[in-house]
Amino acid sequence: MMQEKKQRRTRLTSSERKDWRNLPLEHWLTPTVHAMIIDLNREQFGVETYIPLRGWAFEQGIIKRALTQYGPEALRETITRAFREYRPTPQYPQLTAGFLIAYILPRLMPQVLAEQARAAKRAEQSDITAVNNGLTDDEIIDLL
């Protein structure tokens, strides 16, 4: 009985939850995404004090909805692309989670989802090809 309890998944600490570079995607939650956006603002734009759009609660809610709707892998890729494209100005020196998800995500997410679908289809095709010893469906029909 004691051994079963030890084998169960251990809870992640707050600092582990915010370590977005090392945390597996299946463990990503709102604090992970927030930490990613704050870190990228600091690294790419030199923003030392992150100011959320319309407050922390608004950003946490919008991040949670995006994670639920699209999943952590697609959201991470969208955030990465948004930071590559965004050019800070004196008026808008940082890229907030609220702005990113409300205004940039609707433009980038369809591209990300389409690429993921193509990659999944390619992987499925390669699995089918491997199962058929490298023969296409037409070649198998000709053999029969």
Side-chain angles (χ1 to χ4, degrees):
M1 185 74 169
M2 199 64 147
Q3 195 69 299
E4 289 178 22
K5 287 185 179 181
K6 286 186 178 181
Q7 291 178 353
R8 290 184 185 165
R9 190 180 77 184
T10 59
R11 291 182 59 98
L12 296 172
T13 64
S14 176
S15 60
E16 290 172 329
R17 180 75 58 204
K18 292 178 181 178
D19 185 13
W20 58 274
R21 286 183 173 95
N22 298 316
L23 188 66
L25 286 172
E26 64 266 12
H27 297 296
W28 275 43
L29 294 175
T30 301
T32 314
V33 175
H34 242 146
M36 178 184 186
I37 292 171
I38 292 168
D39 287 350
L40 289 175
N41 269 299
R42 184 179 308 110
E43 293 167 7
Q44 294 185 14
F45 308 138
V47 174
E48 291 302 320
T49 305
Y50 179 80
I51 309 295
L53 176 72
R54 294 179 53 192
W56 290 102
F58 171 77
E59 283 200 350
Q60 289 166 350
I62 202 167
I63 290 170
K64 176 66 175 164
R65 272 191 303 280
L67 274 171
T68 303
Q69 187 171 4
Y70 302 112
E73 184 178 359
L75 186 59
R76 180 185 64 185
E77 178 62 26
T78 301
I79 292 168
T80 303
R81 288 182 187 199
F83 270 90
R84 266 187 269 154
E85 290 182 7
Y86 185 75
R87 300 293 173 250
T89 63
Q91 190 176 8
Y92 302 106
Q94 70 177 357
L95 182 56
T96 64
F99 180 80
L100 190 152
I101 293 171
Y103 297 103
I104 299 175
L105 181 134
R107 181 173 52 83
L108 295 178
M109 186 59 77
Q111 298 167 12
V112 170
L113 294 176
E115 287 174 10
Q116 286 180 345
R118 281 193 296 273
K121 189 173 182 179
R122 276 194 305 269
E124 182 181 311
Q125 288 295 335
S126 66
D127 288 345
I128 290 172
T129 303
V131 168
N132 294 337
N133 293 325
L135 299 175
T136 65
D137 291 340
D138 292 333
E139 290 171 337
I140 292 172
I141 292 171
D142 290 340
L143 287 174
L144 297 175

